[in-house]
């Protein structure tokens, strides 16, 4: 059985390839060439949330199953708050053929997914990126978004001022770009053309009325029915795309809560990102539009990334 | 990380313990002391079916996830037709703490579950067991059912006459009981007080009108919406218990097909086995009643068995 470590994943997936793989995955999903059944979700009261995410690209030799565990309490230890393992099984015989450490994979595929959405939805002339969060996901988004827009400046905000200062300093050096530790969420909202929300918050991070016209927002953090990063006002006043309609309607608090409040209907979702890739006319930006891409992570991404890694390892 | 092999599972789980664990699991399920969310099911056209089954006993330190792969085509190779792996994750931090080979575990927990159902539902004076199928599941049911009823004779039937003869000969010696290779399904139905259907068939194994009054039937094979081992007539004329109402209504062809045909309504399900354990008055057998227990396998069983094995291994 093939075993692929975090280090091997880090070394094998460059940004450009990752973005291509993410586009492939969304296109496969939009054209029904991937089996991506509802994932199983188990939420331990006061403990970890566990997601079982199976997917299969029709005609391929593998079934991919990612088991992700989200444990916000891990911030007090040395463990990451998201742990993930990806298993590949032979699609004919069911044998386990590969086990892949999937924390780097998850961060890279999520950032690549956001990059695809940003490339489709954000203004061409976007130069300032605002990031909420200082974790692995937040960092992975920097090189991914630099790949799709000519960013001149990045503002980062977190309530943890120590982590924030470290993050800004390290990221500046690592990615050769100006990264500023913002003093407030307002400072980020006033300056940014593109936002990435990558926190473990369960409550809206800011008042949606403060988001500038013309901004594109990516919300990638919360993924439980009761948690969200954006408020109902922002969702209502945005052009909304999601990674998966089914998941959005069943498990994303960012969408479910405004639906329950009666602020939006499910039909407010303009489409899936995959729909937009195969039918670009679904969205044509007007200058002051605010666009929102809400993603909770689809197994299609994991399957496409895992099969790519398994092929690389065999060659 | 703890690794528990097939051999270790075989050596650690005796029948009596297994039946106690199965009772515990069903009671936990019936009293809402276990989280047992809908499993994720992926069915590769022309290939394997994969089930992701997470469960968590409230208050315990682990989340159990079983990944079972059912590959009927494996009969032509040396691989078993059901492969399974069980992973235990820390319920606080999400770390993977154990990996358990789960083919023996699956066979033993299924047979123990059937034994509990048979103990609750079959006539006390049942002495003849009829088995359809000659696989691992079929065999595991022999010692389990011998534990709950004084069996004097077992009839086995399979269309594969070579496997059938081997199975009868081996099982007779191994379990010190008369095991007869039946010449027809009718011979099994005419003689048996208790039936176990443990095949990979996707179509009803026999005409339900041929089942003797007073028989208890356990159907453990088919678990997909389009596959079944019993016909609509038998379901309609049986007192029906299931391992999980949710799964029965969403994925068991044995139940879904007669519902779609309009032959039964969902309310025909008298209860879950767990309900019966905590409220025995749900069922009181009349002499000629035919009872049917349909199980597709619940993750609650896997979680309880896996935690037991992990504790044994640590001591």
């Amino acid at each position: 059985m093939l075993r692929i470590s975090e280090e091997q994943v880090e070394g094998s997936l460059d940004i450009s390839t990752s973005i291509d793989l993410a586009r492939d995955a969304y296109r496969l999903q939009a054209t029904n060439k991937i089996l991506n059944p509802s994932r199983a979700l188990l939420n331990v009261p006061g403990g970890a949330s566990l997601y079982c995410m199976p997917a299969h690209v029709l005609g391929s030799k593998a079934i991919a199953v990612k088991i992700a565990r989200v444990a916000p309490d891990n911030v007090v230890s040395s463990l990451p708050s998201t742990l993930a393992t990806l298993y590949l099984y032979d699609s004919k015989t069911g044998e386990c053929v590969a086990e892949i450490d999937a924390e780097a994979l998850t961060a890279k595929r999520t950032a690549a997914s956001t990059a695809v959405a940003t490339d489709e939805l954000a203004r061409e002339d976007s130069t300032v990126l605002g990031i909420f969060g200082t974790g692995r996901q937040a960092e992975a988004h920097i090189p991914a978004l630099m790949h799709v827009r000519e960013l001149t400046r990045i503002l980062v905000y977190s309530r943890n001022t120590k982590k924030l200062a470290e993050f800004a300093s390290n990221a500046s050096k690592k990615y050769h770009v100006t990264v500023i530790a913002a003093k407030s969420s307002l400072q980020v909202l006033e300056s940014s053309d593109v936002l990435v929300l990558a926190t473990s918050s369960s409550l809206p991070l800011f008042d949606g009325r403060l988001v500038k016209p013309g901004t594109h927002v990516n919300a990638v953090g919360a993924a439980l029915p009761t948690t969200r990063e954006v408020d109902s006002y922002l969702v209502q006043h945005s052009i909304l795309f999601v990674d998966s309609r089914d998941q959005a309607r069943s498990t994303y608090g960012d969408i479910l809560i405004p639906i329950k409040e009666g602020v939006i209907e499910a039909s407010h979702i303009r489409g899936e990102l995959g729909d937009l890739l195969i039918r670009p006319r679904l969205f044509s930006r007007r200058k002051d539009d605010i666009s929102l891409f809400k993603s909770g992570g689809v197994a299609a991404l994991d399957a496409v990334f895992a099969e790519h890694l398994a092929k690389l390892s065999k060659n």
Side-chain angles (χ1 to χ4, degrees), chain A:
Chain A
M1 195 181 69
L2 199 59
R3 284 183 194 275
I4 305 178
S5 69
E6 282 295 302
E7 293 68 33
Q8 287 171 298
V9 174
E10 284 285 5
S12 333
L13 279 176
D14 64 49
I15 301 291
S16 172
T17 307
S18 296
I19 294 175
D20 288 346
L21 291 172
R23 275 186 194 279
D24 290 347
Y26 282 117
R27 280 208 193 93
L28 286 166
Q29 184 178 309
T31 52
N32 299 314
K33 285 176 186 146
I34 199 156
L35 299 178
N36 196 359
S38 294
R39 54 201 194 177
L41 163 60
L42 190 152
N43 191 10
V44 176
S49 300
L50 180 141
Y51 302 81
C52 298
M53 305 164 66
H56 168 66
V57 178
L58 288 170
S60 84
K61 286 185 182 165
I63 304 171
V65 179
K66 190 168 82 170
I67 312 266
R69 292 87 70 188
V70 179
D73 290 354
N74 286 357
V75 289
V76 297
S77 71
S78 60
L79 285 167
S81 60
T82 298
L83 291 163
T85 317
L86 210 153
Y87 306 93
L88 286 181
Y89 302 96
D90 186 290
S91 59
K92 279 275 178 199
T93 67
E95 288 167 290
C96 189
V97 292
E99 181 175 330
I100 305 173
D101 288 342
E103 286 121 47
L105 184 154
T106 300
K108 280 172 180 276
R109 67 89 151 129
T110 305
S113 154
T114 302
V116 173
T118 301
D119 200 22
E120 296 298 320
L121 294 168
R123 295 196 325 272
E124 284 290 339
D125 61 355
S126 300
T127 56
V128 181
L129 169 64
I131 300 179
F132 288 78
T134 55
R136 180 169 202 160
Q137 288 285 359
E139 184 183 331
H141 277 76
I142 296 178
L145 294 195
M146 287 174 71
H147 198 83
V148 296
R149 286 295 181 272
E150 299 281 340
L151 301 179
T152 56
R153 208 154 41 104
I154 299 174
L155 285 90
V156 187
Y157 182 70
S158 164
R159 286 182 300 185
N160 184 327
T161 48
K162 182 158 169 282
K163 276 201 178 168
L164 176 59
E166 277 172 20
F167 182 93
S169 160
N170 293 340
S172 287
K173 287 172 210 150
K174 191 163 170 187
Y175 301 107
H176 310 288
V177 63
T178 305
V179 182
I180 299 159
K183 296 211 161 39
S184 67
S185 54
L186 188 59
Q187 187 190 348
V188 179
L189 300 178
E190 284 174 347
S191 312
S192 302
D193 305 313
V194 174
L195 293 172
V196 169
L197 317 182
T199 73
S200 58
S201 175
S202 55
L203 294 171
L205 299 171
F206 46 77
D207 182 338
R209 285 171 294 192
L210 303 174
V211 175
K212 271 196 318 186
T215 304
H216 170 65
V217 185
N218 301 287
V220 309
L224 293 174
T226 54
T227 65
R228 58 175 174 169
E229 293 183 299
V230 293
D231 65 11
S232 298
Y233 182 92
L234 182 62
V235 177
Q236 183 186 16
H237 292 85
S238 297
I239 291 165
L240 174 62
F241 282 86
V242 295
D243 57 350
S244 156
R245 270 182 199 274
D246 286 347
Q247 288 179 196
R249 287 180 190 164
S250 59
T251 58
Y252 298 170
D254 291 288
I255 313 300
L256 285 177
I257 296 169
I259 289 177
K260 271 195 191 154
E261 291 175 352
V263 173
I264 62 162
E265 294 185 19
S267 60
H268 184 63
I269 300 172
R270 179 75 62 98
E272 295 186 353
L273 178 52
D275 300 333
L276 186 59
L277 293 177
I278 60 169
R279 288 191 289 143
R281 294 175 63 181
L282 267 180
F283 175 67
S284 165
R285 167 173 284 287
R286 288 170 307 178
K287 187 167 164 287
D288 284 352
D289 283 340
I290 293 175
S291 51
L292 171 61
F293 175 59
K294 169 61 202 170
S295 65
V298 287
L301 287 168
D302 299 310
V304 169
F305 275 65
E307 291 202 39
H308 175 77
L309 288 166
K311 266 178 215 156
L312 280 184
S313 289
K314 275 182 204 155
N315 297 343

